[in-house]
Amino acid sequence: QVQLVESGGGAVQPGGSLRLSCGVSGSIFTVFSWGWFRQAPGKQREFVASISNGGDTNYADAVRGRFTISRDNSEKMVFLQMNSLKPEDTAVYYCNRRVSSYSWGQGTQVTVSL
């Protein structure tokens, strides 16, 4: 059974930074592209960033230049470094395969406010 476990969220002030981590178990990891997604209150889940098995990255326009996605194939981990955080980044953040998603994990809450 595939498990996706996100961590690293928290409450920060605008301009702050957080590093999210996602541990993947029960799945082949290396061959897939993995992504981060987020869901703000009252909104649909949206794409944030992805990284291919070759290390190519892609970002949503709203986060490009502020967020950096990375992966550790040996540890089956995906990371999201978030800098210059804005209140509009407030959401629950999830990781999953870029396409053909597995069941979603619990996510990790990120709150950006004064």
Side-chain angles (χ1 to χ4, degrees), residues 7 11-12 19-20 27 40 47 49-52 58 62 64 76 82 91 95-96 107 109:
S7 63
V12 296
R19 185 176 188 247
L20 306 184
S27 169
F47 168 78
S50 66
I51 185 166
S52 72
N58 190 28
R64 187 175 292 111
K76 299 177 71 172
M82 306 188 297
C95 72
N96 213 316
Q109 175 71 49

Side-chain angles (χ1 to χ4, degrees), residues 30-33 51-57 71 73:
T30 305
V31 299
F32 295 132
S33 293
I51 185 166
S52 72
N53 59 348
D56 294 327
T57 58
R71 61 191 289 168
N73 290 334

Side-chain angles (χ1 to χ4, degrees), residues 24-102:
V24 179
S25 61
S27 169
I28 299 172
F29 182 86
T30 305
V31 299
F32 295 132
S33 293
W34 293 89
W36 283 96
F37 306 82
R38 66 187 182 186
Q39 187 167 20
K43 295 186 177 181
Q44 290 190 334
R45 187 177 287 129
E46 64 178 4
F47 168 78
V48 175
S50 66
I51 185 166
S52 72
N53 59 348
D56 294 327
T57 58
N58 190 28
Y59 298 94
D61 289 344
V63 307
R64 187 175 292 111
R66 299 188 297 122
F67 291 10
T68 303
I69 188 172
S70 60
R71 61 191 289 168
D72 183 333
N73 290 334
S74 64
E75 296 293 330
K76 299 177 71 172
M77 299 282 291
V78 188
F79 305 99
L80 187 68
Q81 177 66 43
M82 306 188 297
N83 299 328
S84 302
L85 282 161
K86 303 176 180 180
E88 50 264 44
D89 295 318
T90 295
V92 179
Y93 284 71
Y94 304 86
C95 72
N96 213 316
R97 283 170 50 177
R98 180 63 181 96
V99 295
S100 302
S101 301
Y102 291 119

Side-chain angles (χ1 to χ4, degrees), residues 9-24:
V12 296
Q13 294 186 346
S17 297
L18 286 171
R19 185 176 188 247
L20 306 184
S21 300
C22 172
V24 179

